[in-house]
Amino acid sequence: MSERELHVISNGKLAWKEMAAIAIQIHPYVTAIHIREKNKPMDEVFMGVQYLLEQGIPARILCINGYPWMATAAGLGGLHLPESSPQLLTIMESYQSAHRTGVSVHSTEEAVKRESEGADYVLYGHIFATGSKLGVEPRGLEQLGNVARHVTIPVIAIGGITPAKVRSVLAAGASGIAVMSGIWEADDPVETVKAYIRELQQEETRGERLEAYE
C-alpha cells in the first residue's frame, strides 16, 4: 500500500512571515504545502514563495496553485490547478518541469478526464461541512468513494476533515487528505499535524495487515 498523503493548503489569511514560521515546523511531516493565495497579486505570491525557500522550506515540499510558470521558475515540487484549467497537455508542453501536477475536481467525470490527461492526483471535495463553504452541501463519503473507484491515481479528500474523520475518508477510498485552517489556525500546528499523521498511519498499517492476511 502506498504511503498516505497529507497536503496542507494555505488559507490566504497569513502574512508570509507567519506562514514560514509554521511551515518550517511542519514540513518534515507532510506530503506537500500548497501555496494557494488567490487574493494576492501574482508578483507578491512569487516573492512569497522565494521568501519561504530562503527560510529553509524545501522546494520539493512546496506546491504552487494556479501558476505553472512559477512552479518551473522556482523549481517547486508541485503544481496544483483549478478545475477550470485547460487540458493538462497544453500546460505541460509550455512549462516543462519535474513537478507533480494535481487538479481540483468536483465530479467523477472530471476526475476521469483529468487522469486521462496525465494528472498525478486529483483533489476532491468538500467532503464534510466546513466554514469555508457555508451553505454549500458537502459531497460526502459516498460520492468520494465513487470517484476513487473510477480512477487509479490518488484521490485527495478535502473539506471539514478532522483527525477523527480521517479513517472514514480513507475507508471510502481516498489516498490521503488535505487540510487548510485546521492546521494553520491550530493552537499547536505541529501537534495537530502529528494527530493527522497518526490516523493516516494507523489506517495504513491496518490495510497492510489485511493485505498480508489475504
Side-chain angles (χ1 to χ4, degrees):
M1 180 180 293
S2 60
E3 183 179 350
R4 299 301 192 180
E5 300 188 25
L6 174 57
H7 295 235
V8 182
I9 303 177
S10 69
N11 59 9
K13 300 178 182 179
L14 300 179
W16 295 107
K17 187 175 181 179
E18 295 175 290
M19 191 188 303
I22 296 173
I24 199 70
Q25 298 179 70
I26 67 172
H27 80 76
Y29 306 102
V30 306
T31 306
I33 296 175
H34 292 234
I35 309 305
R36 181 179 181 270
E37 299 291 317
K38 297 192 295 183
N39 296 322
K40 291 184 173 67
M42 181 177 64
D43 289 350
E44 181 187 337
V45 174
F46 186 59
M47 288 188 290
V49 168
Q50 294 300 318
Y51 177 75
L52 293 174
L53 294 171
E54 290 167 3
Q55 296 306 303
I57 315 300
R60 61 179 174 77
I61 290 292
L62 291 179
C63 176
I64 190 68
N65 283 40
Y67 298 111
W69 70 267
M70 203 177 295
T72 300
L76 304 183
L79 167 67
H80 190 85
L81 298 167
E83 189 172 48
S84 58
S85 299
Q87 282 197 357
L88 292 187
L89 183 60
T90 302
I91 296 171
M92 291 173 178
E93 285 177 344
S94 301
Y95 299 100
Q96 294 296 327
S97 178
H99 50 243
R100 190 182 188 212
T101 302
V103 187
S104 293
V105 299
H106 298 94
S107 70
T108 299
E109 293 75 20
E110 185 67 17
V112 170
K113 173 188 171 187
R114 293 305 190 175
E115 179 179 34
S116 71
E117 292 177 2
D120 295 304
Y121 69 90
V122 291
L123 185 73
Y124 179 78
H126 60 293
I127 307 303
F128 303 107
T130 173
S132 63
K133 299 283 186 180
L134 289 175
V136 181
E137 187 73 17
R139 290 179 168 82
L141 294 172
E142 185 175 346
Q143 291 189 56
L144 170 63
N146 190 55
V147 171
R149 285 192 297 273
H150 283 82
V151 296
T152 60
I153 57 177
V155 177
I156 309 302
I158 188 172
I161 303 173
T162 62
K165 294 176 178 176
V166 168
R167 295 192 202 186
S168 64
V169 169
L170 297 180
S175 296
I177 61 169
V179 183
M180 296 176 65
S181 297
I183 288 174
W184 297 109
E185 297 178 14
D187 292 336
D188 190 331
V190 175
E191 285 305 313
T192 303
V193 164
K194 289 180 178 179
Y196 280 107
I197 293 294
R198 281 194 294 271
E199 294 302 317
L200 290 166
Q201 289 178 341
Q202 285 183 19
E203 185 62 24
E204 183 178 355
T205 301
R206 177 177 174 273
E208 289 171 348
R209 287 199 302 266
L210 288 174
E211 288 177 1
Y213 179 77
E214 292 170 355

